[in-house]
Amino acid sequence: QTNEHTLAVRPLYELPRPSPHGKKMMAKELGAWYGFRGPNGEAGYYKRKAEKRRYLLIDGRAFGGMATIMNLDKERGYYHDGVGRKFSVAFLVALARRTNRILVLPNVHNDYTNTMLWWTLDMQSIEDDVEVRETNFPSNPKAWATHETPFNSVARTSLGYIQTPTVKGWKMFSQLNDGDVKAWNVTVRDPIEAWIGLNVLDPDVSDVEALFVNPLFINSRSEWGVFCGEGEDKKLFIREVLAIMRKLKWCDHEGVWLGVSPAKMQAEMDCYGRGKPHDLCPRKKVVFH
């Protein structure tokens, strides 16, 4: 654990200078990365101001991350759903680009421990599309807005298909800071575009420093037809997600570090520059209705 008395931290490995990107990620997760200051101190790695200080984080999942084992229910859960994790990543990258925000990497939870996304996602495959920050970024006081507050303003939004004995249909939600939750019934043909509009056009949401999103509609294979289905009516944002999905590369072929705690991470776990593409869409295309 680093503190104000720490002079230097050097991520080591048994071989000389391997995995430089992995060493850098380790330093960031440990809070030992200094980063860059940026022009006039307004757009540095940690210290940012005004419109430069805009982040996107996942919300509403187990422990604030993506769970491969969180079984929301028997039919529509995340249990051992590695493909759902990859769909979620593609969607978050596309949304960060659309909202002009820095993506904070989520945790990934499995049977054994919490793992870092950069252990299995080839970060080189997204670095041209979006700027990212490490998972522990919000916990690092160097990144905080003040000495006591990580962010000056926060919004939460969510979209999902609700089905209860009394309610059936798409609903989206928003909450500003600790205010009341607002809810809307979504009756337009494309609920995803409506939710994107909420995140981009509503000033109560678009102007905050930290935007937490919970896209519930990507938690089930039965709903992936909205991404994989073909048709001329597919909206621009879905096309963006599809393009990113095809660019993403993964190190799943090398095995996931399931039994390793983040406290024991090593530079060699980094997937940077070693990933392989994964075709997430089934061969038989599914059309979303």
Side-chain angles (χ1 to χ4, degrees):
Q1 179 67 38
T2 60
N3 55 40
E4 65 272 16
H5 303 296
T6 303
L7 296 179
V9 176
R10 182 184 179 188
L12 296 175
Y13 187 55
E14 62 263 27
L15 299 176
R17 291 179 294 182
S19 307
H21 185 269
K23 286 184 175 181
K24 182 169 67 174
M25 292 303 299
M26 286 176 60
K28 291 178 178 180
E29 299 291 3
L30 292 170
W33 183 256
Y34 184 78
F36 51 87
R37 185 173 182 272
N40 302 319
E42 295 181 351
Y45 188 84
Y46 292 110
K47 295 301 180 183
R48 306 178 72 87
K49 298 179 180 179
E51 72 276 2
K52 303 294 184 181
R53 187 174 170 79
R54 293 163 50 83
Y55 303 101
L56 180 73
L57 305 93
I58 197 168
D59 183 32
R61 309 285 171 80
F63 313 111
M66 295 185 299
T68 61
I69 63 167
M70 184 183 181
N71 202 2
L72 301 179
D73 59 57
K74 293 182 179 179
E75 300 298 327
R76 301 165 65 84
Y78 268 96
Y79 192 76
H80 287 172
D81 191 357
V83 180
R85 165 174 53 94
K86 295 175 181 180
F87 266 93
S88 297
V89 170
F91 188 91
L92 289 172
V93 171
L95 183 59
R97 189 168 65 175
R98 175 69 77 91
T99 57
N100 193 28
R101 292 182 176 274
I102 299 171
L103 175 62
V104 178
L105 298 177
N107 276 321
V108 180
H109 309 282
N110 53 52
D111 285 308
Y112 305 96
T113 184
N114 302 336
T115 61
M116 301 298 178
L117 184 60
W118 51 272
W119 294 0
T120 53
L121 172 63
D122 186 343
M123 300 298 295
Q124 189 177 43
S125 64
I126 67 171
E127 62 184 10
D128 292 336
D129 292 303
V130 67
E131 190 173 353
V132 301
R133 293 293 185 268
E134 65 276 10
T135 303
N136 286 332
F137 182 84
S139 301
N140 190 338
K142 290 198 294 287
W144 288 12
T146 69
H147 292 297
E148 299 178 349
T149 308
F151 306 110
N152 286 317
S153 55
V154 175
R156 307 172 67 193
T157 70
S158 179
L159 172 70
Y161 189 83
I162 309 300
Q163 187 167 357
T164 69
T166 57
V167 179
K168 181 178 181 181
W170 289 91
K171 294 183 74 71
M172 63 182 182
F173 308 85
S174 72
Q175 181 183 28
L176 179 63
N177 297 320
D178 58 353
D180 295 334
V181 176
K182 299 179 181 179
W184 297 269
N185 293 320
V186 184
T187 58
V188 297
R189 187 175 185 274
D190 195 330
I192 296 176
E193 285 290 339
W195 181 64
I196 297 299
L198 172 67
N199 290 299
V200 175
L201 301 176
D202 186 338
D204 286 342
V205 174
S206 62
D207 293 345
V208 299
E209 289 185 357
L211 174 59
F212 289 78
V213 297
N214 186 7
L216 288 170
F217 54 88
I218 51 177
N219 72 347
S220 171
R221 283 186 174 86
S222 64
E223 292 160 1
W224 290 347
V226 70
F227 297 103
C228 296
E230 296 179 332
E232 295 299 325
D233 60 340
K234 193 176 297 299
K235 302 300 183 181
L236 177 61
F237 183 75
I238 300 304
R239 294 181 187 274
E240 293 178 20
V241 175
L242 284 168
I244 291 173
M245 282 166 47
R246 297 186 180 104
K247 287 182 60 178
L248 292 181
K249 295 183 179 180
W250 305 86
C251 286
D252 289 353
H253 58 285
E254 299 181 3
V256 182
W257 302 92
L258 293 178
V260 179
S261 165
K264 297 181 179 180
M265 61 182 162
Q266 301 178 26
E268 67 172 352
M269 296 178 178
D270 186 25
C271 179
Y272 188 88
R274 301 187 293 110
K276 295 181 179 180
H278 181 188
D279 184 7
L280 301 181
C281 291
R283 293 182 180 274
K284 183 178 179 181
K285 302 297 181 180
V286 179
V287 179
F288 182 78
H289 295 288

